[in-house]
Amino acid sequence: MNNPKSRIRPLTDEEEAEIQRQIAADSDDAEATDEQLARAKPFAEAFPELFESIRRARGRPPVEKPKQVVSIRLDQDVVRKFKATGKGWQAKINEVLKNTKVS
């Protein structure tokens, strides 16, 4: 697999100098002082409520009965018919199989 960063050409000295000039000219982007860095707190400590809301919101919520991923081979016409029913076609296959008596 190719690394996309490997295709980025290096900056010329002139380009780097221009970028540094623009950074220095930005009054909203001053470097933090040693005093500011000494007073800095971790995000979770500075904003505990926001941190908790972000932490809880990550990923899917747990389900009581999670589905199991399987690979199954079905006839093309069967898959085509279920797909034609629209969104949720895999859940419909699950319902049909769940309601079918297995001998």
Side-chain angles (χ1 to χ4, degrees), residues 71-97:
S71 177
I72 184 171
R73 299 173 71 83
L74 302 171
D75 292 341
Q76 290 179 5
D77 59 327
V78 171
V79 174
R80 200 171 21 254
K81 286 178 186 176
F82 275 96
K83 280 187 173 183
T85 65
K87 191 173 180 175
W89 63 272
Q90 291 170 318
K92 291 173 185 155
I93 292 175
N94 187 61
E95 281 302 310
V96 168
L97 292 172

Side-chain angles (χ1 to χ4, degrees), residues 33-48:
T33 66
D34 289 340
E35 182 184 328
Q36 290 170 323
L37 291 174
R39 289 189 322 227
K41 297 179 184 177
F43 179 79
E45 189 179 315
F47 304 100

Side-chain angles (χ1 to χ4, degrees), residues 49-64:
E49 297 86 11
L50 181 57
F51 176 75
E52 279 302 312
S53 72
I54 292 170
R55 194 167 67 110
R56 281 194 307 262
R58 288 189 142 182
R60 296 187 128 195
V63 294
E64 188 176 318

